[in-house]
Amino acid sequence: MIKKLFLTIVISLTLGSISTLHAATGVVFVHGKGSADLASPSTAFNYWGSDMIRASTANYKVPYYIAHYDGTRDMEVSGNTVADQIADFINNENITDLIINTHSFGGVVTRWIFSNPTHGANYQTVINATRWINAIAAPQKGSEAADMAGMFSGTWLTGWIVDLVGQKNDSTTNCETDSMAYYNKYWLNGTSGRPALPKTFYWISGWGLWNDYFGAWHSEDIGLATLSGVAMMPGEDDGMVSEYSAEAVGTQWFRTKANHHHNRRNDYKNIGDMLGSDLENTQ
Amino acid sequence: MLKQLIVLSILFFGTAGVLFADQSGALAPLTFSGPKEAGPFHYSKSYVLEKTVTAGEADLDLMIDTPTGAIAVVMGEQDIRAQTQEKKMDGISYFDSDLEIMDLPGMGTRFNLDKMKPGKFNMKISNAKRQFVSMIVVQPESPLVLKARLTPLAAKVGEPITVEAQLNDEDKIFHKDIQIRAKLATGHNFKLRDDGKKADKIAGDGVFSGKFTTPKVKGLQNIKVHLKAEGKRGSSANDFHRTCIISVMVTAQTSRFPYDIQVNNTGILVPVQAAQGRYRLSVIYGAQGKKIAWAQKDFTLTGQDKKIQVNHPRQALGADQAVIRLLNYNTRGLEDEQLVEFHPPGGIKYRSNYQPTLKTLPESKQNSLLNLE
């Protein structure tokens, strides 16, 4: 009897190991907030840039998918779209070992999925297939830059800035620090004192601002450095997200000097090469 | 001893609870907090100026106490020229479409105020293309900070909200004629007081307080309160300004706990008022003032009252209180929240079940750090 039981355990473990060895790995990219155009695959592709995708997939070693959703919507609406897209990718490519790379609000959208597994029909499929999540500069406790947008749409001002950039959208409100304090208390898991997430989030936070402004004269760099100053972000930040916020969920992987513009690309620092290292043991 | 413990466990937390709780687990033993928790503090060392533009020009009166690192930014305009009474100021124009994704103007002109003297000065700007100019002035090294928060962080329509604001000054310089006003997007505005009357608890303690009632909203809405503090500061009584924005999450209530929540040996029996849609009951258990466990159950209401049983998870053994929340899946609003106290039978004492997650990196990630630029 004991021999039979022992044999069964050995066979099960062996089969388990074989299935692990033959795990079908895939990589998914989940972008951050932005315009409604991000629902288009080509706009979402450009968000990351081709070199970031090449490097993060270790020269296209594994199948990959670039999630694309309307960047003005909140985490729940976006989460539903993203979960459906990822589930299709998992099913079409028979993925059993998924790595999810997120940038900015994409980290919050993904955390919504992992915090509410029963909410969408495909949420659990995504969770089950996932190895881990690499969250680059995610505003897990919100962003003071999003709060600042509220200052310029207030009643002491004429609202002309609203005319300039359009009405405040749901994803910006979602990213405000008070909104995220609320969601972290009632709906999202993984922050201190909340239930644990079912898979590990590895955080990457940015602390640089000016980056290659003085060499390449990127006006984006001065824009982010200015925003960091006027939004009074506490501690170090990448121009859009403070490090305390990016580091509020999960386990540290690394900090980068790349600002919010550069840390979704493989240009100023080798962020994509770092993400690609996840595939070093993949056949 | 072990037998006794098992019997007690079954008495208080029936096995059904272990088997059928929808989702549950242990929590890190951090401070247990009940309903009506305050929102986070917001801090400001900045203020916003706005002026009408005539023929591309506008006059702005700036006040600065600490020029080191101070900047003034004209939002939404490039190539702005500026002049004080003494000299021309050089600005740096920028454009970053990434700022627009945060609903901020992507363009602006930035002026460094490092070389200005503390006090009030006039800045004449020209080459503005819009009808109004909006300028934000920030003094990162200033010892004067406006600190504010709202209580509670989450409320229902028609509930009172307390606004608290204070001016912290590292220099301990006496402030005179301070006024702090709050304004809602609805137009309702009021003065915060520090006279120990109405919403203010203690006269003269430097904490200014006020109250407002949450307005009508649809679903869940983030209601913003703009704060503006002004007065005089220091031995030379220089004027100062600070502005800040804070918000409360307001829910249009659709359901609630119509009568008392009951605690039994296997779980918590929660009455829920008739409504339509998907809801969640979330329970956070506490023991000796610390969080210990959580449980939640999702369910649908179809127009009738319901009683929902949330079973105690095994990790909640020894709990002496719980906060129960009714959440609306359709709006993400907090519909109701209640604290329940109970006493574990047989003197069961809480023993932590929490297992902290290991923070070690997998080998591939450790190796990659050698190549980190």
Side-chain angles (χ1 to χ4, degrees):
Chain A
M1 178 64 187
I2 291 170
K3 271 186 182 176
K4 271 186 184 173
L5 191 67
F6 181 74
L7 201 65
T8 312
I9 291 168
V10 168
I11 290 168
S12 306
L13 287 174
T14 312
L15 287 172
S17 306
I18 290 168
S19 69
T20 307
L21 281 174
H22 290 278
T25 303
V27 176
V28 161
F29 297 83
V30 183
H31 62 74
K33 68 194 274 1
S35 67
D37 292 346
L38 278 164
S40 135
S42 60
T43 310
F45 182 93
N46 291 334
Y47 178 95
W48 296 96
S50 56
D51 197 49
M52 181 69 164
I53 292 157
R54 178 202 59 74
S56 308
T57 55
N59 290 314
Y60 313 109
K61 198 175 184 180
V62 296
Y64 66 93
Y65 183 80
I66 297 163
H68 47 96
Y69 64 91
D70 178 344
T72 66
R73 306 303 298 271
D74 63 37
M75 61 186 174
E76 182 188 357
V77 175
S78 306
N80 291 341
T81 307
V82 168
D84 290 348
Q85 292 176 356
I86 298 177
D88 283 348
F89 172 65
I90 289 167
N91 294 331
N92 294 341
E93 301 284 344
N94 297 316
I95 302 295
T96 55
D97 172 38
L98 183 72
I99 294 165
I100 305 179
N101 295 325
T102 71
H103 180 251
S104 195
F105 187 56
V108 178
V109 170
T110 307
R111 187 154 67 96
W112 166 266
I113 297 169
F114 281 71
S115 301
N116 297 285
T118 57
H119 182 54
N122 284 315
Y123 282 27
Q124 195 63 55
T125 307
V126 175
I127 295 166
N128 290 346
T130 300
R131 186 203 299 181
W132 58 55
I133 299 95
N134 298 315
I136 308 167
Q140 306 285 21
K141 286 199 165 183
S143 163
E144 288 72 17
D147 292 350
M148 203 186 136
M151 282 178 85
F152 289 102
S153 55
T155 47
W156 275 314
L157 299 167
T158 57
W160 64 265
I161 286 182
V162 174
D163 297 337
L164 186 73
V165 298
Q167 287 295 329
K168 267 193 96 198
N169 61 51
D170 291 346
S171 59
T172 305
T173 307
N174 200 148
C175 284
E176 288 174 12
T177 53
D178 286 323
S179 298
M180 286 305 293
Y182 173 85
Y183 291 129
N184 282 326
K185 187 173 168 63
Y186 297 106
W187 287 100
L188 294 170
N189 295 342
T191 48
S192 174
R194 289 286 293 162
L197 289 160
K199 294 290 168 75
T200 306
F201 277 57
Y202 290 101
W203 59 252
I204 298 159
S205 64
W207 60 275
L209 292 171
W210 294 91
N211 286 191
D212 52 356
Y213 172 71
F214 298 104
W217 301 106
H218 277 141
S219 70
E220 290 92 348
D221 297 340
I222 188 172
L224 287 173
T226 302
L227 180 59
S228 165
V230 296
M232 293 291 301
M233 296 187 193
E236 300 283 349
D237 63 86
D238 69 354
M240 199 73 89
V241 177
S242 296
E243 283 199 293
Y244 84 87
S245 184
E247 297 171 2
V249 170
T251 301
Q252 173 174 1
W253 187 3
F254 61 91
R255 297 173 67 222
T256 174
K257 201 180 171 185
N259 66 26
H260 207 72
H261 174 79
H262 288 295
N263 60 30
R264 67 171 191 254
R265 297 180 170 92
N266 197 42
D267 51 7
Y268 178 64
K269 296 288 173 189
N270 61 340
I271 309 289
D273 298 325
M274 295 294 288
L275 297 179
S277 69
D278 279 348
L279 304 170
E280 71 175 17
N281 296 322
T282 306
Q283 300 297 312
Chain B
M1 179 64 194
L2 186 66
K3 273 185 185 171
Q4 277 180 325
L5 200 65
I6 291 167
V7 170
L8 285 170
S9 304
I10 292 169
L11 274 174
F12 185 58
F13 299 107
T15 46
V18 179
L19 295 172
F20 299 119
D22 269 9
Q23 284 186 70
S24 61
L27 288 175
L30 300 175
T31 306
F32 178 87
S33 53
K36 306 285 179 198
E37 205 180 5
F41 277 112
H42 288 247
Y43 302 86
S44 171
K45 292 184 177 184
S46 63
Y47 60 94
V48 174
L49 294 170
E50 186 195 36
K51 210 71 189 273
T52 307
V53 172
T54 310
E57 295 185 349
D59 274 320
L60 296 153
D61 289 325
L62 278 71
M63 286 149 282
I64 52 170
D65 53 77
T66 313
T68 310
I71 56 172
V73 183
V74 178
M75 307 294 287
E77 296 261 22
Q78 286 184 305
D79 303 322
I80 290 290
R81 291 193 282 273
Q83 176 96 35
T84 65
Q85 283 172 324
E86 293 162 359
K87 59 179 181 178
K88 187 180 154 221
M89 298 177 78
D90 292 322
I92 308 170
S93 294
Y94 63 84
F95 175 74
D96 181 2
S97 58
D98 278 4
L99 305 193
E100 291 179 0
I101 65 176
M102 274 297 187
D103 296 338
L104 289 164
M107 63 174 78
T109 309
R110 166 190 173 127
F111 296 93
N112 291 337
L113 304 178
D114 265 329
K115 297 200 170 67
M116 303 307 296
K117 289 177 190 156
K120 196 171 181 176
F121 67 94
N122 180 266
M123 193 168 162
K124 182 187 276 253
I125 67 152
S126 57
N127 202 33
K129 290 158 195 76
R130 298 186 178 273
Q131 210 177 346
F132 298 95
V133 65
S134 267
M135 175 187 274
I136 183 159
V137 181
V138 189
Q139 302 171 79
E141 300 298 323
S142 172
L144 181 67
V145 188
L146 173 62
K147 178 183 172 188
R149 72 171 177 185
L150 300 178
T151 305
L153 167 66
K156 295 182 282 285
V157 171
E159 283 190 336
I161 303 293
T162 304
V163 188
E164 280 176 85
Q166 62 188 108
L167 286 153
N168 289 353
D169 197 336
E170 287 167 25
D171 288 352
K172 309 279 181 207
I173 294 172
F174 184 67
H175 305 97
K176 296 173 196 169
D177 307 325
I178 292 176
Q179 267 215 2
I180 305 180
R181 293 196 71 83
K183 192 164 188 174
L184 275 71
T186 53
H188 174 51
N189 76 89
F190 52 97
K191 190 177 159 184
L192 304 188
R193 54 205 307 163
D194 188 22
D195 57 2
K197 292 176 184 166
K198 293 191 174 175
D200 190 53
K201 286 179 191 158
I202 303 165
D205 65 347
V207 180
F208 289 70
S209 311
K211 263 194 181 161
F212 67 92
T213 303
T214 54
K216 280 186 180 173
V217 298
K218 283 183 183 172
L220 172 71
Q221 206 172 315
N222 166 313
I223 296 296
K224 290 181 176 51
V225 180
H226 290 250
L227 292 178
K228 188 175 185 179
E230 52 194 6
K232 296 184 188 301
R233 175 180 178 271
S235 50
S236 53
N238 285 330
D239 291 336
F240 69 82
H241 275 181
R242 292 288 183 272
T243 50
C244 182
I245 186 161
I246 39 182
S247 51
V248 54
M249 304 297 283
V250 181
T251 300
Q253 194 175 28
T254 60
S255 181
R256 65 190 180 100
F257 306 136
Y259 47 92
D260 284 350
I261 292 168
Q262 293 173 319
V263 180
N264 55 41
N265 287 343
T266 55
I268 297 175
L269 190 61
V270 187
V272 181
Q273 193 180 53
Q276 295 279 351
R278 272 184 88 186
Y279 290 81
R280 169 178 289 175
L281 276 174
S282 158
V283 183
I284 305 287
Y285 292 87
Q288 297 152 32
K290 303 281 183 196
K291 289 178 185 177
I292 61 167
W294 63 283
Q296 67 188 32
K297 192 180 190 91
D298 293 348
F299 61 96
T300 303
L301 288 177
T302 53
Q304 287 171 331
D305 286 0
K306 255 190 180 176
K307 277 187 179 176
I308 308 289
Q309 166 96 3
V310 181
N311 294 315
H312 298 308
R314 61 184 168 77
Q315 294 93 340
L317 186 66
D320 51 29
Q321 58 187 341
V323 62
I324 295 124
R325 296 161 177 161
L326 177 63
L327 300 164
N328 185 331
Y329 244 125
N330 302 335
T331 64
R332 292 195 307 274
L334 172 68
E335 299 277 344
D336 210 346
E337 192 173 26
Q338 202 169 306
L339 182 72
V340 174
E341 299 205 354
F342 43 89
H343 304 286
I348 292 176
K349 295 290 180 201
Y350 160 64
R351 286 178 62 192
S352 178
N353 284 297
Y354 179 68
Q355 298 289 327
T357 316
L358 291 173
K359 298 284 183 186
T360 50
L361 283 175
E363 201 181 331
S364 61
K365 286 191 190 291
Q366 278 182 36
N367 293 342
S368 74
L369 294 176
L370 300 170
N371 301 317
L372 179 65
E373 283 183 357

